[in-house]
Amino acid sequence: MLNASDDPLQRFQPGASPLQRLNNDFLEQAGIRLYIKRDDLIHPHFGGNKWRKLKYNLQYARENNNKTLLTFGGAWSNHIYATAAAGRSFDFKTIGLIRGERPGRLSPTLQFAEKNGMQLHFIDRETYRKKHQPEFLATLAQDFNRPYILPEGGSNRLALKGCAEIIDEIEKAQHRPFDIICCASGTGATLAGLISRLQPGQTAIGFSALKGGNFLIEEVKKHLPEDTPDENWSIETRFHFGGYARASEALLDFIRRFHKQHGILLDVVYTGKMFYGLWQMIKAGEFSPGSRIVVVHSGGTQGNAGFSL
Ligand SMILES: *Cc1c(COP(=O)(O)O)cnc(C)c1O
């Protein structure tokens, strides 16, 4: 094992994730105080919630002297991108099992992953579906010389621990606590991490980036202890825009205008849909005036390469 002073993981200083107040006439009229937690600024390549989820996993792998990370994702996966970049920065070998056939031309995400040293293996969709099965994982452990295996999206117990720190940082930065915290959801692990730290009177909303987002209720529950209350959180299912990585001109236009007005770039797959939905809900009067809302900007803008923004 490396000395602390030689280990780039222990030396790493993540960029600050400030809590920024967002001001505009629309929010003012609605009487909403809105803050953005800028996790997108943590690192240009492995920022956002993907760093939150990797942090304790990488530490665990290092402590156990495991030098290879193996994980799963699709062609546009922010998790694949972040794992490749973090692996390169912190001296891990990385292996990505990618859903589907190898295309003639790799997506920009996968090109980046390969350039950062990730070994890509394409697996058919049926095999990919076994990604959580213990027997399948045991085979992978043998075939790839016992790598540290991260689930799809990096979503495991140690990921929740990292995501819970989002709330700890917000509490340090705010003298009055927030009422509502919002995040974009794919696997639900980030939301579960936030829920694990809610105080009485606070609520959390996960905006599903996928169609049929009600499946997330069970997914979130799987991550949490059984006695966790469930009245103080919900899944917002209305703003999926046709499904994962689908978009409409209205969504792209919203993201362009948001960028112009606030200087903050949202991603199309997750945070753009969340803000679009949140704006609709505020317009419809779904939050009482005086509400203090924190919105987590979980990063993901590398995926915008796939859209004409
Ligand atoms: C992966 C991702 C999410 C979804 O996080 P989950 O923990 O899987 O729900 C949200 N936003 C961005 C930008 C992401 O990359």
Side-chain angles (χ1 to χ4, degrees), residues 49-50 53 78 153 155 184-191 267 270-271 298-300:
N49 66 345
K50 298 305 181 278
K53 298 204 237 181
N78 293 331
S155 300
S185 292
T187 66
T190 302
L191 178 62
D267 82 297
Y270 293 101
T271 56
S298 42

Side-chain angles (χ1 to χ4, degrees), residues 20-28 34 36 38 40 254-266 275 279 297:
Q20 293 177 343
R21 172 95 188 260
L22 200 74
N23 287 302
N24 62 38
D25 293 346
F26 162 63
L27 293 170
E28 178 115 0
L34 193 137
I36 304 191
R38 296 294 307 276
D40 57 316
F254 176 84
I255 291 170
R256 285 182 205 116
R257 279 186 288 122
F258 194 95
H259 190 207
K260 212 164 151 193
Q261 185 175 7
H262 298 295
I264 298 173
L265 182 62
L266 305 172
F275 271 97
W279 263 218
H297 190 329

